[in-house]
Amino acid sequence: MLIDNILYLNMKIATYNVNGVNGRLPVLLRWLEETAPDIVCLQELKAPQEKFPVESLQAAGYNAIWHGQKSWNGVAILAHNTEIKETKRGLPGDPDDEQSRYIEAFVNGIVIGCLYLPNGNPAPGPKLEYKLRWFERLQAHATTLLKYGMPVVLAGDYNVMPTELDVYKPERWIDDALFRPEVRQAFKTLVEQGWTDAIRKIYPNETIYTFWDYFRNAYGRDAGLRIDHFLLSPDLDSRLLAAGVNRDVRGWEKSSDHAPVWIELADL
DNA sequence: ATGTCGGCGCAACGCCGA
């Protein structure tokens, strides 16, 4: 990024489940303005392809690619004054899957996979089965990405709390599709391919939440969950400088139930 | 079990998904 003739080489990448990109547009634009991420992964657009607010984002300096869907799901990748080369639209492994949950691009020399993993509730049931199948497809595609040997960031709403440290009251979530043993195991199997959970690496023992339910004043009570994650390929692990959650955004008027999460990577 | 959101639809509030 070039500002006042000074070259800044570090890169800030963020992920944000906006829960309706048009309903949250003022919040999204304010957050972009205040935190100036270089690359952004968005989930839960809840907008059809033609209703994505591309003009507003361009006016804020962001190029965008997106995969919309009426009412639900939807993912996008934004890049500040930078070219985005789309490499995938839809997660491989099931041509009949019509839900818009994965988009991937080459940006600034990094492969950015933006994902919105299925919620899976009510569980057990077909929605949990779909979630577990989707996880298997993600594991398969993640293996392929590692084989390329390129720097890769898999960012998004995984709808999984990986450990008890990631839930305000673990005992209440045992049967929930976001915390069931088989779902946590699926996340663990994925990470053990060789990925780095960036937030957990920077904060090994701390309670870090990225989501607070709208119900029962969850944000006020800090009854949160950590479900939005960054997985880094092995060569990016040593470039991880910092990471965090923009918690205050969750407290803004008309906020999403998720907060934006970010990482900063050093240039090579 | 409950709670609160955004988006949807024979257009107003009940439903779905989260």
Side-chain angles (χ1 to χ4, degrees):
Chain A
M1 192 194 318
L2 197 63
I3 300 174
D4 294 337
N5 252 356
I6 300 166
L7 189 58
Y8 292 88
L9 297 172
N10 296 341
M11 201 185 318
K12 192 200 279 186
I13 308 176
T15 183
Y16 188 16
N17 178 323
V18 285
N19 188 11
V21 70
N22 288 304
R24 310 301 181 195
L25 192 56
V27 168
L28 175 61
L29 293 172
R30 178 181 164 195
W31 167 71
L32 289 173
E33 166 97 28
E34 290 189 10
T35 67
D38 297 295
I39 302 173
V40 180
C41 295
L42 298 177
Q43 303 87 32
E44 273 207 90
L45 303 179
K46 290 185 167 182
Q49 191 67 11
E50 65 276 13
K51 294 230 173 118
F52 184 80
V54 59
E55 293 85 2
S56 301
L57 291 165
Q58 272 169 353
Y62 285 89
N63 293 320
I65 62 167
W66 66 97
H67 193 196
Q69 182 180 333
K70 193 166 123 182
S71 306
W72 296 302
N73 309 318
V75 284
I77 297 174
L78 317 181
H80 193 245
N81 295 332
T82 304
E83 186 186 4
I84 306 173
K85 283 191 173 172
E86 185 171 317
T87 52
K88 278 253 169 333
R89 177 171 296 236
L91 186 64
D94 182 2
D96 294 330
D97 186 356
E98 296 187 340
Q99 300 190 26
S100 298
R101 294 181 176 277
Y102 188 81
I103 193 164
E104 182 186 287
F106 197 58
V107 189
N108 270 357
I110 297 181
V111 177
I112 306 287
C114 170
L115 64 102
Y116 175 45
L117 220 131
N119 178 294
N121 281 308
K127 296 201 169 181
L128 179 63
E129 294 310 308
Y130 173 62
K131 178 178 196 170
L132 294 170
R133 287 198 309 276
W134 209 94
F135 237 128
E136 287 170 6
R137 290 162 57 200
L138 181 61
Q139 288 162 359
H141 184 54
T143 301
T144 303
L145 289 170
L146 287 182
K147 277 191 201 148
Y148 292 156
M150 301 201 313
V152 183
V153 175
L154 292 176
D157 178 359
Y158 283 72
N159 269 316
V160 185
M161 296 84 89
T163 72
E164 297 201 339
L165 188 55
D166 303 311
V167 199
Y168 67 99
K169 272 197 191 326
E171 66 278 9
R172 288 196 188 171
W173 288 82
I174 290 294
D175 295 325
D176 191 279
L178 278 66
F179 198 55
R180 292 170 75 89
E182 64 269 42
V183 174
R184 273 184 275 168
Q185 182 57 52
F187 184 82
K188 188 161 182 279
T189 300
L190 172 63
V191 171
E192 286 176 352
Q193 292 179 349
W195 301 90
T196 297
D197 176 345
I199 291 287
R200 200 38 92 206
K201 185 187 181 189
I202 297 289
Y203 306 97
N205 302 303
E206 291 171 55
T207 298
I208 304 287
Y209 297 141
T210 67
F211 167 95
W212 296 262
D213 218 310
Y214 289 122
F215 305 156
R216 294 159 300 188
N217 188 31
Y219 181 62
R221 297 183 297 117
D222 198 24
L225 309 172
R226 187 173 76 98
I227 56 178
D228 301 274
H229 308 298
F230 284 92
L231 296 191
L232 311 183
S233 61
D235 48 322
L236 285 181
D237 178 82
S238 57
R239 288 171 60 184
L240 179 64
L241 294 173
V245 178
N246 297 131
R247 277 179 65 106
D248 56 316
V249 176
R250 176 62 181 83
W252 292 356
E253 197 74 23
K254 301 272 282 176
S255 161
S256 167
D257 40 6
H258 295 249
V261 187
W262 58 271
I263 59 170
E264 191 177 350
L265 298 177
D267 196 64
L268 286 170

